Amino acid sequence: MTTVLITGASSGLGAAFARGFAAKGCDLVLVARDKGRLEAVAARLRAGCGVAVEVLPADLLDPAQCDTVAARLADPARPVDMLVNNAGFGLPAPFPYSPVEDEERMLELLVRVPLRLTHAAVPGMRERRRGAVLNVSSVAGLLPTGTYGAAKAWLTAFSESLRVDLAPYGVRVLAVVPGFTRTEFQERAGMDVSALREAVWLEPEAVVARALRDLALGRPVSVTGWRYRVYAQAVRHLPRGLVAERLARRRRAPGGV
Ligand code: NAP
């Protein structure tokens, strides 16, 4: 039996990963702050898929609560075979127009928390010679796009390097790189996405289905949708300075900042 621990499982992509893994018969450990929503996700999956689901409410920005999740990942008596580092949020204004405390919290959740949890999970996986880590990054990480994009660039690069290091031990690592996905992300961040074309939006189920397929194929990076795959290839070959200029013009905050 495979057990998968998913952070940010109370909504959006995390809840979709929970449904995707449960449909494959995996047991789950669900982590997020909202215990009620986690319990609701868990109840549906226990009833619908017959899998065992453990609810582990935690604010990952609280060091003691993050340590509890790390301890669960490292517990040899209850092995976790796969870790999905997914919890995250964005900010409405570009750097430096959000409070610095918000910038720090975002960096912590997108960088320090996956590092800490991966560090806790991997030794057991290595010892058992099986396991996987899925890091939910973003296409924003392919481009110079403020703190959020820089954090996601770190997560993708970290995943790609860890994948090579862990391959000899039978542990797989995948960077999941979604584009705009219909979740609560944009609303929670207070982002105005009304001008975005319909064609840019992905469904969370599609991102998860693609990720599970890419994981099975042993690919390093999972990008959903042909438009985003073309985009991911194109930005690699464009001059970075030019791309940075264009993006900076687009994201300037109202009021000319
Ligand atoms: P979402 O629906 O807002 O889900 C975010 C999840 O993170 C929620 O389950 C939330 O649960 C959890 N979370 C937030 N802060 C937390 C904390 N301090 N401790 C524990 N859990 C916390 O957004 P989403 O789109 O599914 O986001 C998932 C990941 O996808 C993020 O890493 C995001 O950067 C990435 N992503 C999203 C998009 C997109 O367009 N949606 C695109 C690319 C990448 P609680 O509130 O219950 O804690």
Side-chain angles (χ1 to χ4, degrees):
M1 185 57 73
T2 297
T3 300
V4 187
L5 186 147
I6 303 165
T7 69
S10 61
S11 73
L13 282 162
F17 270 109
R19 293 191 295 275
F21 278 114
K24 289 186 172 295
C26 299
D27 290 340
L28 303 171
V29 183
L30 305 181
V31 177
R33 291 165 301 183
D34 191 327
K35 186 177 180 206
R37 290 185 79 179
L38 287 180
E39 294 285 10
V41 173
R44 274 197 299 276
L45 297 179
R46 285 184 200 115
C49 305
V51 294
V53 187
E54 184 183 329
V55 164
L56 181 51
D59 180 348
L60 292 167
L61 289 174
D62 177 315
Q65 295 182 44
C66 188
D67 283 352
T68 302
V69 178
R72 175 67 187 86
L73 283 162
D75 184 350
R78 297 176 297 161
V80 172
D81 306 289
M82 296 198 199
L83 164 64
V84 183
N85 283 308
N86 165 78
F89 67 88
L91 295 175
F95 190 90
Y97 303 104
S98 297
V100 72
E101 294 78 12
D102 291 352
E103 293 277 352
E104 287 176 340
R105 288 173 58 247
M106 181 174 72
L107 197 62
E108 169 120 358
L109 189 60
L110 300 184
V111 173
R112 199 194 69 83
V113 167
L115 181 151
R116 173 85 180 85
L117 298 184
T118 303
H119 196 269
V122 157
M125 293 180 186
R126 253 178 49 154
E127 210 166 287
R128 295 187 293 272
R129 301 221 152 227
R130 71 186 281 258
V133 179
L134 284 77
N135 288 323
V136 181
S137 183
S138 170
V139 291
L142 302 171
L143 301 162
T145 48
T147 316
Y148 180 81
K152 293 299 193 181
W154 177 88
L155 190 58
T156 302
F158 173 66
S159 308
E160 287 179 296
S161 115
L162 196 64
R163 172 177 175 271
V164 177
D165 293 340
L166 294 179
Y169 301 96
V171 180
R172 292 167 292 165
V173 181
L174 178 71
V176 182
V177 178
F180 286 104
T181 308
R182 286 189 207 284
T183 67
E184 297 173 15
F185 180 86
Q186 282 79 16
E187 197 187 330
R188 287 194 202 217
M191 293 171 184
D192 180 7
V193 286
S194 54
L196 288 178
R197 284 174 302 120
E198 183 63 25
V200 306
W201 288 100
L202 302 168
E203 295 303 328
E205 282 70 21
V207 174
V208 168
R210 176 86 199 190
L212 297 190
R213 204 166 62 236
D214 287 337
L215 181 71
L217 292 170
R219 290 186 172 140
V221 174
S222 178
V223 183
T224 303
W226 66 267
R227 284 184 180 82
Y228 284 112
R229 282 195 289 280
V230 170
Y231 182 72
Q233 283 301 321
V235 294
R236 281 212 184 105
H237 302 291
L238 290 172
R240 264 182 104 70
L242 255 184
V243 177
E245 269 295 323
R246 267 200 73 154
L247 288 167
R249 251 182 276 139
R250 256 207 243 153
R251 68 170 175 266
R252 289 216 164 95
V257 288

